[in-house]
Amino acid sequence: RTARLPEGTPPAVPSGLGMCTLCARHRCLCGGLAAFLGTVCIFGAACATSIYVRLTPLYSTIECRHGSTQMQNLHVGVPLISATSFDLIIEMKCQNPNPYSIGFEWTEPGTVYIGRSMTEVGHTQDVPGKENYFPADGNGSTWVKANTTINAKLLSSLAGDLLFSGGQLPLRLELRQRLEVDVMLLFGGGAQVAQDFVKDCGMMIGNLGPNPKIGPMACANTFDELVIPPVSGGSSDGVMRLEAKMVAPKKIQQGMDLKNWGLGLTMAVFYTLGLVLYVVAGCLFWRHAKDASAKREELEASSNVTMELDSEQSV
């Protein structure tokens, strides 16, 4: 048995039919709501498009060149008697074409080698007070400090290297850093990606006396690939390129897949939904205008009939 509703109670209407009934009665209101929701969808799709364009390509190669090298805390030793020590402050100037900032931090000290036999003489570290940072679509610098100590015995053995190499000694450095990518998307949102970064660099030192000459620095993926320019080479023509395959190939590929699928699907859904809502709004406005026109014609016809009846009665 079914319970009967009290007299005068309107029957329940499903929510979908209720919405349709409401829109049938208030087409202008529903049309305005559909147009507003369509605008919101188009705006969301436009934001996704802006992010997609901004991140295409997801990563562009960063090019770095040797900026400057300064020697500090130089102590000149005597072969077989005292050691020679000095600190090298090296700046690499880099151009970042990507739409997000990139920074470096040291994960562990690298090793410093000298001579053809690559004898270990020190370590590399960060430079206190210097910022290793590349702003988005801008230029920045990364700094390296090489603490070097050449003991008295090694100092005497390097004399042979100086003779056979024309008075120049190769100094090789290991860079052990972590690259941090700060991807800013839209409205302050974004993501951070960190990846270990390893580079092998080198430069020539003219002599180990009171007025040493230092050549430009060059870098490569390994010491075997490294070609060190001479002291008289001026600025180094070798460009250190931070390519995607060196930085974080797997993470960059994952980011590209996520960007293509996620943003592509978002654009497709929101553009389609926005256009559908605009079509619905147009239909509702058209029906509203048609109903209003029909009502005006009906009122005019009714008014004409009333006027005719009044005229007949007056006759």
Side-chain angles (χ1 to χ4, degrees), residues 29 34 59 72 118 156 164 215 225 231 271 309:
L29 177 62
Y59 180 85
Q72 299 179 354
M118 292 185 60
S156 62
F164 288 107
E225 301 175 5
V231 172
Y271 275 129
L309 292 175

Side-chain angles (χ1 to χ4, degrees), residues 63-67 91-95 236-240:
E63 294 186 350
C64 297
R65 290 176 170 83
H66 178 233
E91 177 191 14
M92 293 291 289
K93 294 184 177 180
C94 303
Q95 182 181 11
S236 174
D237 295 331
V239 178
M240 182 175 68

Side-chain angles (χ1 to χ4, degrees), residues 23-82:
C23 287
R25 294 178 180 177
H26 306 281
R27 289 192 176 94
C28 185
L29 177 62
C30 288
L33 179 60
F36 172 76
L37 294 177
T39 302
V40 172
C41 290
I42 294 297
F43 178 75
C47 291
T49 303
S50 175
I51 297 174
Y52 186 89
V53 172
R54 182 176 173 82
L55 296 180
T56 302
L58 185 63
Y59 180 85
S60 298
T61 300
I62 298 173
E63 294 186 350
C64 297
R65 290 176 170 83
H66 178 233
S68 62
T69 301
Q70 300 177 3
M71 182 174 287
Q72 299 179 354
N73 304 323
L74 174 62
H75 175 74
V76 180
V78 179
L80 299 177
I81 297 177
S82 62

